[in-house]
Amino acid sequence: MSRSDRTHAIHAVAARPVPGPAPASRSSPDDFGCDVFGEAAIRKYLPKVVAEKLLATVNAGAPLDPAIAADVAHGMKEWAVDRGATHYTHWFMPLNGGTAEKHDAFLEPSANGKAVFAFSGKNLVLGEPDASSFPSGGIRSTFEARGYTAWDPTSPAFIKRHANGATLCIPTAFCSYGGEALDRKTPLLRSIQALKRATTRLMKCFGLPEEPVRVTLGAEQEYFLIDREFYLQRPDLVQTGRTLFGAPPPRHQQLEDHYFGAIRPRIVKFMQEAEEELWRLGIPAKTRHNEVAPAQFELAPVFEELNLAVDHNMLVMEVLRQCAERNGLVCLLHEKPFAGVNGSGKHNNWSVSYGRRNLLDPGDDPEQNSIFLTVLCAVVRAIDLHADLLRTTTAGAGNECRLGGNEAPPAVVSVFLGDQLGEVVQALAHGSRGSARRAGTLRVGVDTLPPLPRDAADRNRTSTFAFTGNKFEFRQPGASQPCAASNMFLNVMVADSFDRFADQLEAAGPERLHDTLQALLRRVFRKHERVIFNGDGYSADWAEEARKRGLPNLRTTPEAVAPLLDPANQALVSRYGVLSKVEMESRHEVALEEYGRKVAIEGGIALEIARSMVMPVAVDCYSKAATTLGRAVADGLESGVEGLRAQAERLGRGLDALSTRCDALHKALADGGSAGILAAMAAVRETVDSLEHDADDAAWPLPKYREMLFLY
Ligand code: ADP
Ligand code: MG
C-alpha cells in the first residue's frame, strides 16, 4: 500500500526547521500603539481645539460635538496615509460571531484625470452597509435591508496591515433602519452606561463625591495550535473547527507535563510575532504560557476599559489566527477541538472602579470594606437571580461540546468566594460560625475585614464565576465567543442590584447608612447564598447538589438560550434600555438558527468523511485481512490463525456498523433535528474511532490525535 497523504504530512512537519534563538536585539515599548489613532496621534494630527474636544469624548465620555467630524476625519486620514493606509473601513461586530469590514479607498478622482486621497466627516461618522446578509433574527425583514454603522469614538481607530498595504479601521456600532441593534457593540455600550449610572447612584449613598466610573475587562484567551499540514488533511477541522473523529491516544494530558512547561521554539516564535503585532495595535498582551492540554496555549492581556477590551479581544483572535498561518500553524479557537482533553475558554475578568478605587478590592479600611461587601453582595444577588440570563451568552454549538464535559466548567453558574471570604459572608448572614469569630462581630463600616488571601493557591479553577482577589472571573465563555454579550448582561444584572440597594439606602438616609447596610447585606446574603459554592465544580456531586439548590443547569444550546424569551429577563434588560423585547427575541432566533446550521454542517461533513475516506480504507483492510485469513486456513497454518480471524472479524463488524450508522446519520440529516444529528454523529464516531485502532496505520487517511497534538 502506498504512503497516505497523512504520512506525507508527517514528513513535511518533520522537515520544518526549528527556529534558533534570535541575536540579542531590541524591542522597544515605544512601538506600543503606533498603529492606533490614540492620544499622541490625535494631538499631532488634529487642530488643538478639535483634539481637546475629541479627547473629552474619548476619556471622559462627553457627547461628541458633530461639528468636529470633518476635521477629525481629515486628520485621521492624514495619519493613516502617513502610516501606509490607502483604504478605510467601518469595523463592526455583527451577530455572526466575528467582525465585519468593507474597504473603501481614500482615492477620489479629481480634475484632469488625476486623483487625491480624501475622507469626509460623513464617511467617518456614518456608513450604510447592506445589512441583508448579516443575521438579524427577523428584525431586518420588518424594515428594510439597509443597516447603519455609527462611529464609536471611545474605541480608537487603528490600522490593519496586509502584505502590500494597510487599512484604516474605524470601530462602529451597527443598527437597523429602525434603530434596533444588529450587533454586539450597541447593547454593550448601552449596558456600560446603565452600570455607570447605577454605580454613581450607589456611591453617592456612601457619601462619595462624583467620580468617573470604569467597567474593566481582562479577557484571557485559550487556543490550540497544530501544524497546517495536519489541518489540511482534516476536512472536519477545515469545515467545523473541531475534530469529529479521532481515537484518544495512549498519552494525552494525563502526565500533566504541558501546563506552564517550557514553550517550544516554533511556538514561542509565533507568540512573539503575534504579541509584537498586538502591541502595535495598542493591545497590552502580557502573559503567555502552555495550557493544560497538549498543543494548548494561553494569552492574557492587561485589563482595560470594557468596550475597548472587547474590541481588542476580537483583534487578538484575528492576529493569533493570521500569525499562526504565517508560521505554518493553524490556531484553533473552537471550544473543544479534541475530545477527551481540555477545551478552550475565555476567562472573563470583570470589575468596576470608581475614580481610583476598584470596587471589588476589599481594601484595608472599614469604609472600603463596606463598599466592597456591598458590591460583592450585589453581584451575588445578580448571579442568583439571573444566572440563566448569563448562561445564554455562553450557549452555542462549540461551547456545548465543552461545558459540562469531563474536563470543563459545568453549565451551572455558581459563585466562588473562597474560604475566608465565604466565612465573612456566613458571619454577615448568620452571625459568627466556625473559625470566623472575628468576622462574627463584623459591623459594616466600623470594623475591618480580616485579611483576605490574594494568592493563586486559593483560586478555585473549577468554579464558573469566581472571585479572584479584586475581580470576578467568569469562566464559562468559550474561546471563540466575543466577550460582548456576557459583559452586557452582567452589567445590567449588577446595575439592577445596585439600584435596588440604592433605593433602600437613599430611603434610610446617610445617618442610618451603616445600620441599613448591615441589615440589607444580611437579608440579601441569606436570600441568595444558595448560589455560592466553594467546592469542586467539576464533580458529579455538584450537579446533584446544584439541582437540590434549584440552580439552573442548562446543558444544551436550545435550553441555554431559552431564558432570552423569559418575560422577567426581558423586562429587566429592556428597563435598562439595553435590549428591547424584540431585540432579545431576535438574538434568541439568531442563536438557534446558527446552532441548527452548525450542527447540520458537522453532520454533513462527518458523513462525508465516514463514507468517502474511512469506508474505503476499512473495506481495503477488511478484504486484505479476510484474504490473508483464507490463505492461512488453506495453507493449514495453525498458530496465529485465531488472531487473524479476530482481526478480520473486528474489521468486518466495524464495516458493518459503519455502514448502518452512516445510513442513520444520513436519515437524521434529512430529518434535520439537531439532537438527532448529534446522536447519530456520536454513533458514527464510535465506530470510526474503533476502526482507527484496527486499520492499517499507513493507510489511515486522517491525521491522528497523537500526531496533531504532539508533532509541531
Ligand atoms: P490568573 O487569573 O491567570 O491568575 P491574573 O489574576 O493576574 O491571572 O489576571 C487575569 C486577568 O485579569 C488579566 O487579564 C488581568 O489583567 C485581569 N485583571 C486584573 N485586575 C482586573 C480588574 N480590576 N478588572 C478586570 N480585569 C482585571
Ligand atoms: Mg484566570
Side-chain angles (χ1 to χ4, degrees):
M1 193 170 284
S2 68
R3 274 210 272 156
S4 66
D5 289 345
R6 172 178 140 252
T7 331
H8 285 290
I10 296 174
H11 284 267
V13 175
R16 290 211 192 271
V18 178
S25 73
R26 36 76 274 169
S27 206
S28 157
D30 295 345
D31 285 344
F32 184 79
C34 66
D35 279 340
V36 178
F37 194 60
E39 183 155 346
I42 287 174
R43 291 198 188 282
K44 182 162 171 210
Y45 281 86
L46 298 186
K48 194 161 187 305
V49 273
V50 177
E52 290 308 332
K53 280 188 178 171
L54 180 58
L55 288 170
T57 300
V58 174
N59 297 331
L64 184 80
D65 175 359
I68 67 170
D71 283 337
V72 175
H74 178 76
M76 201 187 266
K77 184 236 2 176
E78 293 289 296
W79 168 78
V81 170
D82 282 352
R83 307 273 319 144
T86 51
H87 289 66
Y88 71 91
T89 181
H90 279 196
W91 181 84
F92 56 100
M93 274 187 271
L95 295 177
N96 62 13
T99 56
E101 51 187 77
K102 180 193 99 196
H103 301 191
D104 279 298
F106 288 126
L107 190 100
E108 297 273 359
S110 63
N112 317 327
K114 300 252 180 229
V116 292
F117 277 168
F119 186 43
S120 71
K122 182 179 169 295
N123 285 339
L124 165 65
V125 173
L126 200 69
E128 294 184 21
D130 180 359
S132 58
S133 296
F134 293 112
S136 74
I139 282 184
R140 193 187 54 235
S141 55
T142 57
F143 293 90
E144 52 167 285
R146 225 169 345 154
Y148 291 88
T149 49
W151 178 34
D152 167 20
T154 61
S155 179
F158 57 91
I159 284 174
K160 249 169 67 169
R161 303 191 169 279
H162 53 82
N164 52 6
T167 304
L168 168 68
C169 299
I170 298 153
T172 52
F174 178 48
C175 318
S176 76
Y177 177 73
E180 284 94 350
L182 293 177
D183 71 343
R184 299 180 189 275
K185 185 189 274 280
T186 306
L188 177 72
L189 290 172
R190 294 172 183 163
S191 77
I192 294 172
Q193 281 311 318
L195 182 56
K196 283 184 174 180
R197 265 197 302 273
T199 306
T200 307
R201 193 180 155 206
L202 183 64
M203 289 307 112
K204 205 169 165 200
C205 299
F206 285 91
L208 298 182
E210 185 154 346
E211 293 211 63
V213 182
R214 219 165 90 98
V215 189
T216 51
L217 169 70
E220 300 168 67
Q221 178 72 51
E222 294 178 335
Y223 59 94
F224 280 85
L225 291 172
I226 63 166
D227 196 283
R228 209 169 128 74
E229 293 282 345
F230 292 137
Y231 175 81
L232 295 174
Q233 302 293 326
R234 296 280 321 208
D236 46 359
L237 276 179
V238 172
Q239 291 265 299
T240 73
R242 73 170 171 123
T243 55
L244 301 173
F245 302 107
R251 173 183 165 195
H252 42 91
Q253 66 185 42
Q254 66 273 58
L255 298 180
E256 301 179 331
D257 55 350
H258 193 253
Y259 189 63
F260 283 13
I263 309 173
R264 292 197 205 170
R266 212 179 145 202
I267 301 301
V268 79
K269 171 178 179 287
F270 148 84
M271 289 172 161
Q272 181 74 23
E273 217 173 290
E275 283 164 39
E276 292 192 1
E277 191 170 334
L278 292 172
W279 293 344
R280 285 194 294 276
L281 287 166
I283 300 171
K286 176 85 173 164
T287 308
R288 61 190 186 200
H289 62 82
N290 287 0
E291 256 300 331
V292 172
Q296 192 188 26
F297 309 93
E298 181 182 299
L299 177 150
V302 176
F303 68 95
E304 300 177 281
E305 187 280 322
L306 173 55
N307 175 43
L308 185 63
V310 167
D311 283 354
H312 279 175
N313 178 256
M314 299 306 287
L315 288 172
V316 163
M317 292 193 283
E318 184 174 322
V319 167
L320 288 178
R321 278 206 195 91
Q322 293 183 350
C323 194
E325 210 167 325
R326 289 201 296 275
N327 281 274
L329 297 161
V330 174
C331 174
L332 304 175
L333 292 169
H334 192 282
E335 283 74 17
K336 195 77 174 177
F338 302 98
V341 297
N342 274 31
S344 298
K346 179 139 41 198
H347 294 175
N348 188 101
N349 294 274
W350 172 96
S351 187
V352 190
S353 60
Y354 191 73
R356 299 169 64 85
R357 186 193 295 252
N358 175 357
L359 298 182
L360 282 170
D361 191 332
D364 42 24
D365 60 85
E367 190 217 6
Q368 174 67 21
N369 285 172
S370 67
I371 292 176
F372 163 71
L373 288 172
T374 307
V375 171
L376 187 81
C377 182
V379 174
V380 168
R381 173 188 180 275
I383 301 295
D384 187 38
L385 286 178
H386 306 291
D388 62 339
L389 191 54
L390 201 56
R391 173 69 180 99
T392 64
T393 67
T394 63
N399 219 16
E400 183 177 288
C401 307
R402 167 178 171 258
L403 293 185
N406 291 326
E407 316 82 14
V412 182
V413 184
S414 65
V415 178
F416 168 84
L417 296 180
D419 291 342
Q420 272 88 340
L421 193 53
E423 281 176 7
V424 169
V425 167
Q426 274 287 324
L428 276 168
H430 303 286
S432 72
R433 250 199 209 176
S435 60
R437 248 179 303 119
R438 267 200 64 197
T441 59
L442 187 81
R443 281 165 305 154
V444 175
V446 181
D447 293 332
T448 314
L449 283 179
L452 300 171
R454 285 281 273 289
D455 62 314
D458 194 47
R459 292 176 191 179
N460 179 330
R461 303 217 148 260
T462 65
S463 166
T464 37
F465 201 87
F467 178 72
T468 48
N470 59 356
K471 61 194 186 286
F472 273 102
E473 180 169 345
F474 185 34
R475 302 208 181 99
Q476 259 186 1
S480 73
Q481 296 179 320
C483 301
S486 302
N487 292 289
M488 155 184 80
F489 284 150
L490 190 54
N491 290 344
V492 182
M493 291 154 50
V494 173
D496 171 63
S497 284
F498 281 4
D499 276 332
R500 297 295 71 76
F501 287 9
D503 289 344
Q504 297 172 49
L505 297 176
E506 282 168 4
E511 292 78 43
R512 303 195 38 238
L513 172 70
H514 290 141
D515 289 345
T516 314
L517 203 54
Q518 187 95 32
L520 182 135
L521 295 182
R522 180 182 164 89
R523 200 169 57 245
V524 176
F525 273 131
R526 277 189 173 195
K527 188 157 172 203
H528 298 291
E529 65 188 349
R530 65 170 188 166
V531 79
I532 299 172
F533 177 66
N534 292 327
D536 178 4
Y538 289 10
S539 73
D541 294 352
W542 168 231
E544 177 53 23
E545 166 71 16
R547 195 186 58 75
K548 282 191 196 139
R549 294 191 192 183
L551 303 178
N553 185 0
L554 308 171
R555 291 289 307 274
T556 68
T557 302
E559 287 174 286
V561 296
L564 287 168
L565 301 181
D566 176 74
N569 284 333
Q570 292 181 344
L572 168 77
V573 179
S574 62
R575 189 167 72 243
Y576 281 94
V578 170
L579 286 176
S580 67
K581 182 171 182 293
V582 171
E583 288 170 327
M584 296 270 279
E585 283 163 1
S586 79
R587 265 146 226 258
H588 178 260
E589 195 177 318
V590 168
L592 276 190
E593 234 172 56
E594 181 194 276
Y595 176 69
R597 287 176 184 161
K598 283 192 171 168
V599 171
I601 290 170
E602 289 187 347
I605 195 69
L607 184 60
E608 197 178 319
I609 291 173
R611 280 186 171 160
S612 71
M613 295 175 78
V614 175
M615 186 83 90
V617 171
V619 165
D620 240 28
C621 293
Y622 173 58
S623 126
K624 264 170 71 178
T627 309
T628 312
L629 174 66
R631 195 169 299 164
V633 172
D635 289 352
L637 302 185
E638 278 164 20
S639 62
V641 165
E642 282 324 302
L644 287 174
R645 187 186 308 282
Q647 165 87 349
E649 278 178 9
R650 276 200 305 276
L651 285 162
R653 272 198 299 272
L655 206 50
D656 213 25
L658 187 61
S659 155
T660 337
R661 290 176 172 193
C662 281
D663 291 347
L665 176 54
H666 183 91
K667 183 166 177 311
L669 280 163
D671 292 347
S674 297
I677 296 174
L678 288 169
M681 276 168 62
V684 173
R685 177 173 192 152
E686 189 187 46
T687 304
V688 170
D689 288 359
S690 120
L691 279 168
E692 187 184 318
H693 281 302
D694 289 313
D696 179 359
D697 178 76
W700 192 254
L702 300 165
K704 298 185 172 182
Y705 272 29
R706 63 163 195 252
E707 294 153 358
M708 289 184 287
L709 291 172
F710 290 93
L711 306 184
Y712 56 85

